Amino acid sequence: MQTLLAFSGVIAVAWAFAYHRAPMWLWTVAVAAGLVWLGYSGVTTQIVIVLAWIIFAILAPLLNPGPIRRAVLAAPLLDLFRRILPQMSPTEKEALDAGTVWWDGELFSGKPDWKKLHAYPKPALNAEEQAFLDGPVEELCEMLNEWEITNHLHDLPPQAWQFIKDQGFLGMIIPKEYGGKGFSALMHSAVIVKLTTRSGTAAVSVMVPNSLGPAELLLHYGTTAQKDYYLPRLAKGLEMPCFALTSPEAGSDAGGIPDFGVVCKSEWQGKPDVLGIRLTWEKRYITLGPIATLLGLAFRLYDPDHILGPDEDRGITLGLIPTDTPGVNIGRRHFPLNGAFMNGPNWGKDVFVPMDYVIGGVDYVGQGWKMLMNCLAAGRSISLPGNAVGMSKLAARTTGGYGRVRTQFNMPIGRFEGVEEAMARIGGNLYLMDAARVMTAGAIDLGEKPSVVSAIVKYHLTERGRQVMNDAMDVHGGKGICMGPNNYLGRAYQQIPIAITVEGANILTRSMIIFGQGAIRGHPYVLKEIEATQEENDEKALRDFDAAFFGHVAFTISNKARASWMGLTCARFTVTPGDRHTRQYYQQLTRLSSAFAWASDVSMFVLGGSLKRRERLSARLGDILSLLYLASTVLKRFEDDGHPEEDLPFMHWVMQDTLNRAQEAFYGLFENLPNRIVAWGLRVSIFPWGRVFDAPADMLGSKVVGLLMTPGPSRDRLTQGMCIPRDENDPVTVIEAALLAVIAAEPVEAKMRAAQRAGTIEGEFADLLAQEALTKGVITQQEADRLARAKSLRRKVIMVDDFPKDFGRSELFQTTQAVSFEALARQ
């Protein structure tokens, strides 16, 4: 045992010296201690100690930062990495350089600093923003009827469009000095949430000018002249913008767009030899394109005559082109899943525009992809996540009410266990979605552009929004599938795939972007290693690679040790913040963060560059990172809300569901890593006791459903920010009224059931029972009125729309004929 301790001690000292740059006095103490130990040891121990110190003398210079390590170890490794690492394309590099690393970096560290998370201020609207949300946004909602918009008008009403322009909805992100609102990202998100609960058409029409498009690009990259001219016009609605990126041949591979421009000189507005670009393009799926007056255009620019410089291929460039420019063709409309928002193709062939039309002018020629990626790093986390949360708030509030109002077998359908399962998912998913939306928008308002986090919330919030809508439709049954003015879910349900598809298709986002970018951007060493291999200065490359590689080795070993220890102890001894309800979750997230960092490094080491092509493995690692982030937002929300006791079922359900999903993502990785020995080693070190995180229990789900079906602060907090119309005949308002009426009638119904069991009243039909109970004094007239009101509103809720057999086409034809005959008679 003494021999083993001696050998282990020497190796530990060597390792400490190698990674912590021990000072000379500590070297002296260590050597002196070794000599003293040597003097008081037996012969066998002395031999072992001497051998150990010889090993130490050899290893220390190799492991300690310095010229010996760089020459003997780092230099050959650098050469190897340069040979085996796949070359990074310019568009990949620009995508990786875009945005910032935020909380995702903490999760990749293996030891997230929860105090740092708590120190972020609680995102909140200011007084001006709240007034706009309660005023003009609410007023716009009252103007909108999505059934009329999508079934008859196929556009927003003219008065709604004018209101949107007059009230500055199109300039929410434009600073006040240009006539815009200068709203925060949180406010932008809140407006989209509220509008979505009333009209998806209005939400999309407002979100696009405030998302990735001309206004944002001009703010960051426009010339002074471009900003001064266009931003005030955009803010006032004098210009209607769109941005054209997608081509028939280039969808997800937007960097491969075939649209091109050629630098040349030509006549322009009577002036000869104007420097400009001759453009040819074909775009489709362009939202607001059919009504746009200002076309943002992405294209690849070529300079065959070297007018701008020596390079012929100048790269992706962004232009801003008035749609009345000769040669610009605005096509007809697309019809995306019965959506009435404007969307359509545009094209042009050999269209000459002056160089002034390039966003940012000649200085930003060829920088279009970087410009897009930087804007997308923030914008992707606002609009579509807000849209998903909005439809989920609508679904949660109406499904909760419907689940209690609608009865079958003399019981609210929300109390059937099968229905409870779906409704619990609705409540839990929405609680998580809104937490992620708010925290991420808050990060943007702090100045962050979290590219990986943006991809996480875009993917997961739209996917969970799809799950919420599917569950809501299942609960509503026939009420949900019959279209008409009284169907508040149908159009949102139809149009979910649109959000799934745009701004990075979800399949691509999950399998290639989240971990593909996260592993490089969020990891503390990988990007440094890659940059070192691409450094042209050999001395700097070697120094940078040496520091990054051996730091990476220490990082990996540290996380392996932490993950194994916390796996064995189930993280019970891990010091984290939190109270009796939340501390266990902070501990388990810390555990899984270390496990994720360890598993990521092992996967990258085993698979190398092929991990990029093993998309399903990359997707599972991305799922783990995403779930760690989403769970963090839930704990932050609970903290910011002041630990409300009544919200505990939501918080517990989400955290248990998230830990269970993360566990299954780990197991999916273990089961599919090609090296089975490595996979076994990972599983044993991370989950030595097997699966330990159970899905939320049925009883917990029942509590979540109870909150959805009961008016109160929890239900209001969950659906805060949605539009509840003032019109008492609006179907959403009717559900609210019916829920209150049904709850008020429940004690009366209980009294009647007790009287029926006692034999005081008899009968099978509810109306007859109520009349008999009133006659015999079992209930009062006031209580009978409550029953009648509940019955009336319940029926109003469950009824669906119907139409003429030909959907009124014959009446429309007759009206059209009459108008035509009148016109002929006038002629």
Side-chain angles (χ1 to χ4, degrees):
M1 179 59 71
Q2 188 180 14
T3 301
L4 180 60
L5 288 173
F7 188 79
S8 301
V10 171
I11 296 301
V13 171
W15 189 260
F17 278 80
Y19 287 102
H20 297 285
R21 296 177 178 268
M24 184 56 67
W25 67 266
L26 190 53
W27 280 90
T28 305
V29 171
V31 172
L35 291 175
V36 171
W37 195 350
L38 185 63
Y40 286 94
S41 302
V43 176
T44 304
T45 303
Q46 288 177 346
I47 293 172
V48 172
I49 292 174
V50 169
L51 289 174
W53 278 104
I54 291 171
I55 293 171
F56 169 67
I58 295 171
L59 288 179
L62 291 177
L63 296 178
N64 204 46
I68 296 176
R69 188 177 80 178
R70 287 197 293 272
V72 177
L73 295 179
L77 285 169
L78 176 59
D79 291 338
L80 176 64
F81 270 58
R82 280 174 166 166
R83 289 197 303 271
I84 65 174
L85 279 179
Q87 288 296 312
M88 192 180 300
S89 69
T91 53
E92 286 179 310
K93 188 174 188 311
E94 288 173 348
L96 285 173
D97 290 342
T100 59
V101 178
W102 186 54
W103 185 247
D104 47 319
E106 288 290 323
L107 297 173
F108 242 113
S109 73
K111 44 183 180 180
D113 183 353
W114 299 110
K115 292 181 181 178
K116 183 177 179 181
L117 180 71
H118 292 165
Y120 293 130
K122 178 182 178 179
L125 304 179
N126 61 37
E128 181 186 358
E129 291 172 336
Q130 190 64 55
F132 188 84
L133 195 64
D134 296 338
V137 179
E138 195 72 30
E139 196 173 340
L140 176 59
C141 286
E142 294 294 337
M143 295 181 180
L144 304 171
N145 182 311
E146 189 69 350
W147 174 252
E148 288 293 321
I149 290 168
T150 58
N151 197 59
H152 300 303
L153 299 176
H154 303 294
D155 190 8
L156 293 176
Q159 65 271 24
W161 267 121
Q162 195 59 51
F163 187 83
I164 286 171
K165 295 175 182 179
D166 293 344
Q167 296 296 321
F169 280 85
L170 303 182
M172 291 192 297
I173 66 168
I174 296 175
K176 291 182 178 180
E177 57 262 37
Y178 294 107
K181 294 293 184 183
F183 285 156
S184 64
L186 182 64
M187 176 57 176
H188 177 187
S189 175
V191 171
I192 300 307
V193 167
K194 178 165 276 194
L195 289 178
T196 300
T197 64
R198 188 63 181 160
S199 167
T201 305
V204 172
S205 300
V206 168
M207 78 166 67
V208 169
N210 291 287
S211 187
L212 177 62
E216 186 171 12
L217 290 165
L218 285 170
L219 280 171
H220 294 291
Y221 305 106
T223 65
T224 300
Q226 288 170 342
K227 291 178 181 178
D228 289 344
Y229 179 75
Y230 281 119
L231 289 178
R233 294 177 62 80
L234 288 166
K236 295 174 184 176
L238 299 176
E239 300 280 4
M240 184 60 67
C242 71
F243 189 81
L245 176 62
T246 305
S247 302
E249 301 297 333
S252 296
D253 182 18
I257 53 177
D259 313 291
F260 66 93
V262 177
V263 178
C264 62
K265 292 183 178 181
S266 181
E267 181 181 348
W268 176 253
Q269 296 180 348
K271 298 178 182 178
D273 294 329
V274 173
L275 178 64
I277 304 168
R278 196 164 294 282
L279 290 165
T280 296
W281 77 92
E282 182 187 11
K283 303 290 189 179
R284 64 177 180 179
Y285 308 147
I286 311 306
T287 301
L288 298 185
I291 59 172
T293 62
L294 195 60
L295 171 66
L297 186 68
F299 56 92
R300 184 171 289 277
L301 183 64
Y302 296 94
D303 186 11
D305 297 328
H306 307 289
I307 297 173
L308 300 180
D311 296 329
E312 183 170 330
D313 184 352
R314 305 294 299 192
I316 294 175
T317 301
L318 307 182
L320 200 56
I321 305 167
T323 56
D324 60 1
T325 301
V328 174
N329 294 286
I330 300 298
R332 302 193 301 172
R333 292 178 64 175
H334 298 313
F335 192 30
L337 293 172
N338 287 324
F341 58 88
M342 291 292 174
N343 184 280
N346 60 75
W347 66 92
K349 182 174 176 60
D350 293 330
V351 178
F352 181 80
V353 298
M355 191 63 68
D356 292 345
Y357 282 14
V358 171
I359 297 177
V362 71
D363 291 342
Y364 281 92
V365 161
Q367 299 190 47
W369 191 247
K370 180 173 70 175
M371 294 158 67
L372 287 173
M373 290 300 99
N374 274 312
C375 290
L376 195 61
R380 182 160 50 185
S381 64
I382 300 174
S383 296
L384 293 174
N387 177 255
V389 170
M391 67 174 65
S392 299
K393 284 179 182 281
L394 173 66
R397 192 152 186 124
T398 54
T399 305
Y402 190 80
R404 190 156 183 176
V405 170
R406 174 68 162 160
T407 60
Q408 292 287 278
F409 308 103
N410 296 318
M411 185 167 73
I413 62 170
R415 282 308 177 198
F416 287 90
E417 288 200 0
V419 176
E420 276 190 341
E421 184 178 10
M423 291 181 67
R425 283 196 300 265
I426 291 173
N429 279 328
L430 175 55
Y431 189 83
L432 177 147
M433 292 165 67
D434 211 20
R437 174 189 72 88
V438 171
M439 181 166 134
T440 308
I444 295 168
D445 289 328
L446 291 174
E448 299 288 345
K449 288 189 174 181
S451 54
V452 174
V453 165
S454 292
I456 288 172
V457 295
K458 189 276 172 178
Y459 171 77
H460 284 276
L461 269 61
T462 55
E463 286 292 341
R464 287 180 185 250
R466 168 153 58 183
Q467 178 71 70
V468 167
M469 293 306 300
N470 285 342
D471 285 333
M473 289 293 282
D474 285 351
V475 174
H476 278 77
K479 172 73 175 178
I481 64 175
C482 289
M483 295 301 295
N486 288 299
N487 189 321
Y488 38 78
L489 296 178
R491 289 299 188 223
Y493 174 80
Q494 285 180 317
Q495 293 165 28
I496 287 170
I498 299 172
I500 299 293
T501 302
V502 300
E503 290 190 7
N506 276 12
I507 290 176
L508 174 113
T509 300
R510 175 176 179 258
S511 61
M512 296 179 67
I513 295 178
I514 294 175
F515 184 75
Q517 287 190 7
I520 298 175
R521 289 302 307 277
H523 196 288
Y525 296 103
V526 169
L527 183 58
K528 295 175 184 177
E529 290 167 330
I530 293 174
E531 289 174 340
T533 65
Q534 297 176 344
E535 173 60 52
E536 295 180 358
N537 184 311
D538 289 339
E539 183 179 351
K540 184 176 187 304
L542 185 57
R543 284 183 175 276
D544 291 349
F545 181 80
D546 175 76
F549 178 80
F550 287 98
H552 193 164
V553 170
F555 173 79
T556 302
I557 293 173
S558 171
N559 278 312
K560 163 66 172 73
R562 287 167 54 81
S564 298
W565 169 249
M566 286 188 281
L568 283 170
T569 62
C570 294
R572 288 190 178 90
F573 304 111
T574 303
V575 178
T576 64
D579 58 18
R580 62 190 179 91
H581 297 296
T582 59
R583 185 175 296 110
Q584 58 176 320
Y585 300 129
Y586 285 110
Q587 290 174 327
Q588 298 307 328
L589 291 183
T590 302
R591 169 189 177 180
L592 293 186
S593 173
S594 291
F596 168 69
W598 160 236
S600 296
D601 279 329
V602 170
S603 299
M604 287 188 282
F605 177 78
V606 170
L607 296 171
S610 68
L611 181 58
K612 182 178 177 180
R613 299 185 296 275
R614 302 296 294 266
E615 294 174 16
R616 283 175 283 191
L617 292 179
S618 179
R620 292 183 181 101
L621 287 164
D623 289 343
I624 299 167
L625 175 60
S626 299
L627 290 163
L628 290 173
Y629 176 75
L630 296 172
S632 300
T633 70
V634 169
L635 292 176
K636 178 73 165 90
R637 171 182 182 161
F638 192 71
E639 187 80 21
D640 285 346
D641 286 348
H643 306 83
E645 191 83 15
E646 57 269 25
D647 286 359
L648 281 172
F650 288 130
M651 188 274 292
H652 284 304
W653 192 98
V654 173
M655 293 306 301
Q656 292 172 24
D657 177 71
T658 304
L659 290 172
N660 177 260
R661 290 189 190 209
Q663 173 183 260
E664 294 311 306
F666 270 112
Y667 269 83
L669 177 69
F670 304 151
E671 291 162 3
N672 290 281
L673 274 173
N675 189 316
R676 302 311 303 147
I677 295 175
V678 170
W680 178 84
L682 274 177
R683 186 192 64 76
V684 170
S685 63
I686 294 172
F687 291 107
W689 310 112
R691 286 177 166 88
V692 293
F693 300 124
D694 295 328
D698 295 346
M699 186 64 71
L700 180 58
S702 295
K703 292 178 180 179
V704 169
V705 174
L707 294 176
L708 284 182
M709 297 199 304
T710 305
S714 282
R715 185 170 184 258
D716 290 341
R717 266 192 299 272
L718 187 69
T719 59
Q720 183 179 13
M722 72 169 285
C723 172
I724 300 177
R726 290 189 288 265
D727 180 2
E728 64 180 15
N729 291 314
D730 186 273
V732 175
T733 312
V734 170
I735 282 190
E736 291 292 296
L739 177 61
L740 295 175
V742 164
I743 292 172
E746 283 173 354
V748 184
E749 292 170 342
K751 186 186 292 188
M752 288 172 54
R753 284 194 297 273
Q756 194 174 19
R757 286 194 298 270
T760 307
I761 56 175
E762 298 178 352
E764 299 180 4
F765 301 105
D767 289 346
L768 295 177
L769 278 173
Q771 185 59 47
E772 186 179 357
L774 178 61
T775 302
K776 294 185 175 180
V778 174
I779 61 174
T780 66
Q781 182 61 54
Q782 186 180 28
E783 290 173 326
D785 292 342
R786 284 188 209 165
L787 291 174
R789 176 170 170 76
K791 177 188 174 184
S792 173
L793 287 171
R794 178 184 285 120
R795 180 166 176 79
K796 198 169 183 179
V797 164
I798 66 176
M799 295 302 289
V800 299
D801 299 288
D802 53 52
F803 303 91
K805 285 183 289 186
D806 63 351
F807 287 95
R809 290 191 183 93
S810 59
E811 293 178 14
L812 179 62
F813 177 72
Q814 290 169 7
T815 303
T816 304
Q817 272 193 323
V819 171
S820 300
F821 288 142
E822 275 187 38
L824 285 172
R826 285 197 298 269
Q827 292 175 2

